[in-house]
Amino acid sequence: MKRFEISWLNFVLLNALFITLMNFHLFDFIYSNLDEDASLWLKISFVLIYFSLLVMIFGLLFLPFLTQFFAIVFVLVTCVSAYFMHFYGVVIDKDMIQNALNTDQRELKELFNFTFLFWTVFLGLVPSLLILKCKIRWGGGLRHIAIKFTSIFIALIIVLACFLPQSKTLIPFFRNYNQTRVYNAPVFQIYSFVRYVKQKVVKKPELKIISQDAKLSENIKRKLLVFVIGETARAANFRFKNKDHINDTTAYTSNLGAVYFTEVSSCGTSTAVSVPCMFSVSTRKEYSSSEFQENALDILQKVGVKVSILGNNSGGCQGICKRIAHSKYLDAEFDGALLEGFKKELFSEDEYEIIVLHLQGSHGPTYYKRYPSEFRRFEPTCDTNELQECSSEAIINTYDNTLLYTDFLLSKIITLLQKEDQESSLIYVSDHGESLGENGIYLHAMPYAFAPLEQTEIPLIFYSNDTTLMQTAKAHSNYELSHDYIFSTLLGYFKVQSKFYNPNYDILSLQVKEGL
């Protein structure tokens, strides 16, 4: 392809126009939240203001030797962001970036399809190639400066002309819908990436020790706890939460007397946040991804409880296994592969042990790959990663098959625990939920402040061969709980004495309080 000439100003205007058009999801969000009687001028003003602001920004950034680099970065980031927002309703923020970088190659491949290829080629690579082939005419030094600042000034006038007369409408709108910013590509994605890099680059302080006073209570009997971390399981698809749900996703554990907690919320909407958060002493409101202190598993290991972590989650342990002596992650096709290692751990002679099983669970969008063929009970199914091509019924059926398979694995574990002489219990809790197309949103990792309930309401299941614990769990099964209760529940189960243990946050304590 031959190079072609274009003036600097036209280059700025075309780039601003392209980015404005690619932000159709941003304008769709804005228009869907405007009053029905909103004037046509108000609707046009949003587009004019956005376009003019881009002209101002590009006018300042598009400098010699940097113009095409910035333009290509903006185009590619906007292209990929628009794809995930349009087809999955997924917003790329700091946590999503962390989640993506913690994802293995297998999981990344499952996101690629022909639609993604077509989209990125024609709306990302082709525009980038055109940008590379541009020969920008800068004009004389003084003339270029005059054009630059004149265009910026005119764009500013347009912004003010649209904004000031309607400020009484625009200011309250953006104040009430501050989540509008997350749909602004590529600005919000670049801002999120900078935040992620700053978090990683800043040198971590020394590990904060919070276990100085922690110790096991005297004369406690042998105990075993199996703590299963589910992946992407949402409460809405369990009949104990939603009685009208068409598929029975707990067909196995319901026959074993398991206790189902009906009102449980997650700490985050992504694995990268929820997994470390649930083991932290910090509550969801207090927790930060930069937190670097001992968690519940560290404390249990220090006081003499054997901690074993077995995982099959493609995102890894999210930091919870870094200081744990016994930890192993598989790369198996199905979670059933964990049972062999689990059975070996059951023969441990340790008096006190917690076995953490971290599942791949119901991770999408390729739900159909999460269970063996014999668990394809609910049909029709969605056997593709292009969820928008499937009916709602097919997506839900496929997703429910993953939950049923997880329930089957839990029933196998419970059956083994029933044979144990020592006090043996199981806690299953999902890391976060999942959107299955409600309001055009798929998958998870929406910013928590406005994430749909499908992404934050999660299942929690308990079983024990100790009748007292079962009675206590049943009494609290309708309490409003969250991941905030996990830390003290784990310490309380093993009778760990610590100033950080709070019986009000222990779901197996008679002193537990709901809604904290």
Side-chain angles (χ1 to χ4, degrees):
M1 182 189 292
K2 293 183 179 180
R3 299 194 70 183
F4 57 92
E5 287 193 357
I6 185 172
S7 70
W8 174 86
L9 179 58
N10 285 339
F11 186 83
V12 168
L13 293 174
L14 285 174
N15 273 272
L17 178 62
F18 179 81
I19 299 298
T20 300
L21 293 175
M22 288 295 288
N23 270 279
F24 58 90
H25 208 283
L26 167 67
F27 296 113
D28 178 63
F29 175 81
I30 290 173
Y31 295 152
S32 65
N33 286 288
L34 288 176
D35 293 335
E36 292 182 3
D37 58 350
S39 67
L40 178 62
W41 172 238
L42 177 62
K43 295 177 181 178
I44 293 174
S45 293
F46 280 106
V47 179
L48 284 176
I49 290 172
Y50 189 80
F51 174 79
S52 300
L53 287 173
L54 286 178
V55 170
M56 294 169 63
I57 293 170
F58 293 167
L60 294 172
L61 289 179
F62 286 1
L63 303 170
F65 307 110
L66 294 175
T67 297
Q68 285 158 305
F69 168 76
F70 280 133
I72 290 173
V73 170
F74 295 155
V75 164
L76 292 178
V77 172
T78 303
C79 170
V80 174
S81 301
Y83 171 82
F84 283 103
M85 281 192 282
H86 179 62
F87 289 102
Y88 295 111
V90 169
V91 173
I92 299 178
D93 61 359
K94 180 175 70 70
D95 294 334
M96 191 64 179
I97 292 171
Q98 181 178 346
N99 229 28
L101 293 176
N102 287 339
T103 298
D104 67 358
Q105 291 184 357
R106 181 183 67 178
E107 195 173 322
L108 284 175
K109 288 178 182 177
E110 292 173 356
L111 289 170
F112 296 141
N113 52 55
F114 178 77
T115 305
F116 178 78
L117 180 64
F118 182 86
W119 182 282
T120 52
V121 168
F122 286 95
L123 295 176
L125 297 181
V126 170
S128 297
L129 182 61
L130 292 174
I131 290 170
L132 283 174
K133 291 297 181 180
C134 286
K135 183 178 180 181
I136 301 172
R137 293 196 308 270
W138 295 88
L142 291 177
R143 185 171 180 272
H144 172 68
I145 292 173
I147 292 173
K148 175 192 281 283
F149 286 102
T150 299
S151 61
I152 292 173
F153 180 73
I154 292 173
L156 177 61
I157 293 298
I158 294 173
V159 170
L160 294 176
C162 293
F163 179 80
L164 291 178
Q166 304 178 97
S167 60
K168 291 183 179 180
T169 301
L170 293 172
I171 292 175
F173 178 85
F174 288 114
R175 187 173 294 162
N176 292 331
Y177 298 99
N178 62 352
Q179 63 265 43
T180 305
R181 63 194 176 94
V182 307
Y183 298 105
N184 179 13
V187 177
F188 184 74
Q189 288 71 34
I190 293 173
Y191 162 74
S192 298
F193 181 73
V194 171
R195 286 184 63 205
Y196 173 79
V197 171
K198 284 176 65 177
Q199 177 183 304
K200 292 298 179 182
V201 169
V202 174
K203 187 178 180 181
K204 284 187 176 181
E206 288 187 17
L207 178 69
K208 183 179 179 181
I209 306 299
I210 63 172
S211 60
Q212 294 96 332
D213 69 328
K215 63 179 181 179
L216 289 175
S217 300
E218 296 180 1
N219 302 320
I220 64 169
K221 55 187 177 182
R222 290 187 67 195
K223 287 175 177 284
L224 168 66
L225 176 62
V226 182
F227 188 86
V228 184
I229 307 171
E231 169 66 50
T232 319
R234 69 183 201 175
N237 287 48
F238 290 83
R239 284 184 179 172
F240 61 77
K241 174 68 176 178
N242 180 7
K243 294 180 180 179
D244 297 325
H245 190 64
I246 189 170
N247 298 323
D248 185 4
T249 54
T250 56
Y252 294 97
T253 57
S254 60
N255 296 323
L256 297 172
V259 177
Y260 306 104
F261 290 81
T262 61
E263 302 292 334
V264 185
S265 60
S266 64
C267 184
T269 59
S270 67
T271 307
V273 173
S274 285
V275 170
C277 179
M278 74 170 75
F279 291 103
S280 171
V281 67
S282 303
T283 63
R284 183 185 70 79
K285 293 180 180 179
E286 299 167 344
Y287 179 76
S288 167
S289 296
S290 61
E291 180 176 291
F292 192 51
Q293 63 182 359
E294 290 181 311
N295 60 36
L297 298 180
D298 293 317
I299 295 174
L300 291 176
Q301 183 172 251
K302 276 195 172 183
V303 299
V305 177
K306 181 183 177 183
V307 179
S308 300
I309 301 179
L310 299 173
N312 190 44
N313 192 284
S314 56
C317 73
Q318 305 295 341
I320 64 169
C321 63
K322 284 187 176 180
R323 298 174 295 275
I324 301 303
H326 306 280
S327 175
K328 183 179 180 180
Y329 268 72
L330 309 179
D331 186 23
E333 185 177 9
F334 304 119
D335 288 332
L338 292 170
L339 290 179
E340 183 180 351
F342 168 72
K343 290 176 182 177
K344 290 180 180 178
E345 284 297 327
L346 282 181
F347 293 107
S348 170
E349 296 183 357
D350 294 84
E351 284 192 273
Y352 318 111
E353 181 174 15
I354 177 172
I355 303 173
V356 179
L357 300 179
H358 189 186
L359 308 183
Q360 183 72 348
S362 306
H363 201 285
T366 53
Y367 305 119
Y368 68 99
K369 291 185 177 182
R370 301 292 170 244
Y371 52 86
S373 58
E374 59 266 31
F375 284 88
R376 191 182 182 187
R377 306 284 177 82
F378 312 123
E379 294 181 301
T381 56
C382 178
D383 299 335
T384 176
N385 61 357
E386 298 187 62
L387 299 179
Q388 65 278 2
E389 300 298 323
C390 297
S391 67
S392 176
E393 179 190 15
I395 294 172
I396 290 173
N397 284 337
T398 314
Y399 180 80
D400 283 353
N401 285 332
T402 69
L403 298 180
L404 184 67
Y405 179 55
T406 295
D407 192 65
F408 167 75
L409 298 179
L410 295 180
S411 72
K412 288 292 186 182
I413 295 170
I414 291 173
T415 301
L416 291 170
L417 296 184
Q418 289 175 333
K419 299 175 183 177
E420 290 290 310
D421 295 328
Q422 61 183 330
E423 180 184 300
S424 303
S425 306
L426 172 141
I427 295 176
Y428 165 83
V429 65
S430 181
D431 55 358
H432 53 78
E434 183 87 329
S435 289
L436 298 177
E438 298 85 6
N439 300 312
I441 300 174
Y442 295 88
L443 306 181
H444 52 269
M446 289 286 283
Y448 201 95
F450 56 94
L453 292 177
E454 290 84 4
Q455 295 188 25
T456 60
E457 292 185 340
I458 55 173
L460 193 158
I461 301 173
F462 179 78
Y463 172 82
S464 179
N465 60 9
D466 183 285
T467 54
T468 302
L469 287 178
M470 288 294 284
Q471 290 172 357
T472 304
K474 286 178 182 177
H476 302 153
S477 60
N478 292 319
Y479 277 25
E480 185 180 336
L481 306 171
S482 69
H483 276 160
D484 293 349
Y485 290 75
I486 298 299
F487 178 88
S488 286
T489 298
L490 295 182
L491 266 60
Y493 183 82
F494 289 98
K495 307 299 181 185
V496 175
Q497 297 177 355
S498 167
K499 64 181 179 182
F500 290 100
Y501 167 73
N502 186 342
N504 297 152
Y505 280 92
D506 182 353
I507 63 175
L508 300 176
S509 166
L510 296 177
Q511 299 177 55
V512 66
K513 294 181 179 179
E514 63 175 317
L516 296 177

